[in-house]
Amino acid sequence: MSFARATAVNSSEHPFTAEIAEGWDVVGNANGGYLLAIGARAMAIAAARPHPVSVTAHYLSPGRPGPITIDPQIIKAGRRLTTVRATLLGEERPLIELLGSFGDLRSIEGPTRVDAFPPDLPPPEECPRAEYDPARGFPPALMDRLDLRLHPDDARFLGGTPSGDPLLRGWVRLRDDEPMDVFGLLLATDAFPPTIFNANLPVAWTPTVELTAHVRSVPEPGWLRCRFSTRFISGGMMEEDGELWDSSGRLVAQSRQLALTPAG
Amino acid sequence: MSFARATAVNSSEHPFTAEIAEGWDVVGNANGGYLLAIGARAMAIAAARPHPVSVTAHYLSPGRPGPITIDPQIIKAGRRLTTVRATLLGEERPLIELLGSFGDLRSIEGPTRVDAFPPDLPPPEECPRAEYDPARGFPPALMDRLDLRLHPDDARFLGGTPSGDPLLRGWVRLRDDEPMDVFGLLLATDAFPPTIFNANLPVAWTPTVELTAHVRSVPEPGWLRCRFSTRFISGGMMEEDGELWDSSGRLVAQSRQLALTPAG
């Protein structure tokens, strides 16, 4: 099933309806970026604006395959941006709470100054692919829905020898040449393995409290180059900062999530 | 008026009430961090949790001195965290929309690994103070409510010679030895002059679309060391990343805001 279909929203009813599809999960729980993409699609429809500019999700309960509802509410429809909130509801409980501002990225202009570069990566065919391991559950089923290739230096945790540095760089694209749209960027902000896997710390998983994504440009077709890094693991929490660059070498999205670091 | 009093929330009524005090403004508009602090206080009361862990504000309309109302709604009260949304309403319109998760930072534990250092600053007495200039409006009135000292290398824009680098480092504390609490950290995430002032670009102001703050620890008494920087000015927008460190050398908050960069 394509990403577009797996995140489709039926806006002919109120509340809107959608379906968590099978296979976009990590050990049974729908991926956070996948849920964010569904929610943001619903919010963009409600706002009648094509692009999420900044969207924040707080993660409340794990999502399982099946029907969900979304009730976007317009907070303010401004000249450039429309601010919307929404709850993504599973059958029994809220899954994520969302707040975002939506607009048309092509209509916003200003000067350019960029003090950063896309991550330096070997070509995709020289980067190990994280492939779904149904027996262990890691890499998770989500890896069957994407084509995700890790920088060889950052992929060693796959073989049991973490790099020691909470950093993951790599390529990602949707499968079957499906174009990556702005909602695909939201998926990609949470699609890489957790940086903690390279950190050599007694933490088995890092449940996301909150994720904010800024979409800075509509991506050109092709692979995304991504960099996810963590500088502060402290106080029972860590941030994970993401940069997503498109095939034209432009930053297309930035993300930051706050996750808990329970002893594993 | 103390910060505590200027951000006090009356929770005996529903919706809660508060007052935007005089003097916490930038050319007449209440500072974004100040409004965030009022909103987060109201949300923490509603959640019955002492600390904002992650809180996001979308800025809708400028706030002027006078009465406001806040209607925090509990989205989910979990074991560790309570997620709350709220609208901060002025007399005629919504000012900011808020979403956050609240908890007790002292009860969250995990391993520590920090790959960063507080900014290297000369002592406060060797750092120029940004002082309110009532005639020009810049530095703004807010600077009378804080004691904010800039790294000499980053303060040159005050004299009309920007450094060329969108970076601002410095010290900040509340006035009259008022202790900096977790809500003061929220104020501090937006209290420094915009990084664009050092960028040598034709942008006169950078209205905030969205600001997310992660409070990572309760600050120890004393000065905060802060670092605000921007790497991506593109597509009519820029991010501004903040790090706030307390007097014990611990990161106490991280922030990122997305702002527009209209031609000035």
Side-chain angles (χ1 to χ4, degrees), chain B residues 61-259:
Chain B
S61 309
R64 314 281 184 181
I68 54 176
T69 62
I70 314 137
D71 64 334
Q73 296 173 353
I74 306 295
I75 305 294
K76 184 191 172 188
R79 190 171 57 85
R80 268 179 200 285
L81 299 173
T82 295
T83 304
V84 189
R85 63 164 293 266
T87 308
L88 200 151
L89 274 173
E91 286 194 280
E92 293 181 354
R93 54 193 185 182
L95 306 180
I96 59 174
E97 180 70 19
L98 297 151
L99 175 61
S101 287
F102 292 73
D104 187 334
L105 291 166
R106 296 160 300 197
S107 73
I108 309 177
E109 290 185 348
T112 298
R113 172 190 166 133
V114 173
D115 291 309
F117 296 92
D120 192 14
L121 300 170
E125 55 277 15
E126 293 174 23
C127 290
R129 184 165 174 198
E131 283 182 283
Y132 179 34
D133 180 340
R136 293 171 62 224
F138 279 103
L142 176 69
M143 295 300 118
D144 252 7
R145 299 280 160 264
L146 298 165
D147 188 352
L148 193 151
R149 317 281 180 106
L150 294 169
H151 191 298
D153 293 349
D154 304 340
R156 289 180 295 162
F157 75 89
L158 291 170
T161 55
S163 70
D165 194 11
L167 168 69
L168 279 164
R169 294 159 297 178
W171 303 91
V172 70
R173 63 180 178 186
L174 296 172
R175 280 181 48 164
D176 303 323
D177 290 323
E178 183 177 359
M180 177 71 74
D181 66 2
V182 290
F183 302 99
L185 295 179
L186 300 181
L187 170 69
T189 63
D190 194 43
F192 274 64
T195 55
I196 200 82
F197 285 0
N198 265 333
N200 268 333
L201 287 173
V203 177
W205 65 309
T206 52
T208 305
V209 172
E210 175 264 333
L211 188 156
T212 294
H214 298 169
V215 178
R216 300 291 292 268
S217 188
V218 177
E220 296 293 324
W223 287 97
L224 295 178
R225 284 172 193 255
C226 303
R227 182 181 196 278
F228 292 91
S229 60
T230 295
R231 293 186 306 139
F232 301 99
I233 302 171
S234 66
M237 293 181 283
M238 56 181 274
E239 93 289 359
E240 191 170 311
D241 283 348
E243 286 174 19
L244 285 62
W245 303 74
D246 75 1
S247 59
S248 76
R250 186 192 308 249
L251 178 89
V252 287
Q254 266 190 307
S255 65
R256 174 173 286 167
Q257 65 170 272
L258 184 70

Side-chain angles (χ1 to χ4, degrees), chain A residues 20-127:
Chain A
I20 297 180
E22 299 271 355
W24 297 81
D25 64 283
V26 176
V27 291
N29 298 328
N31 170 260
Y34 170 69
L35 294 179
L36 176 59
I38 297 175
R41 268 201 210 285
M43 295 162 88
I45 292 168
R49 303 273 195 174
H51 306 132
V53 172
S54 172
V55 61
T56 290
H58 285 246
Y59 290 85
L60 309 172
S61 309
R64 314 281 184 181
I68 54 174
T69 61
I70 313 136
D71 63 335
Q73 296 173 351
I74 306 295
I75 305 294
K76 185 191 172 189
R79 191 170 58 85
R80 271 178 199 284
L81 299 173
T82 295
T83 303
V84 189
R85 62 164 294 262
T87 308
L88 201 151
L89 272 175
E91 287 194 277
E92 292 181 355
R93 53 192 184 182
L95 306 180
I96 58 173
E97 180 71 17
L98 297 150
L99 175 60
S101 288
F102 292 74
D104 187 335
L105 290 166
R106 298 160 301 200
S107 73
I108 308 178
E109 291 183 349
T112 298
R113 170 188 168 133
V114 173
D115 292 308
F117 295 94
D120 192 16
L121 300 169
E125 55 277 15
E126 294 173 23
C127 289

Side-chain angles (χ1 to χ4, degrees), chain A residues 161-173:
Chain A
T161 54
S163 70
D165 194 11
L167 168 70
L168 279 163
R169 295 159 296 177
W171 303 91
V172 70
R173 63 179 177 187

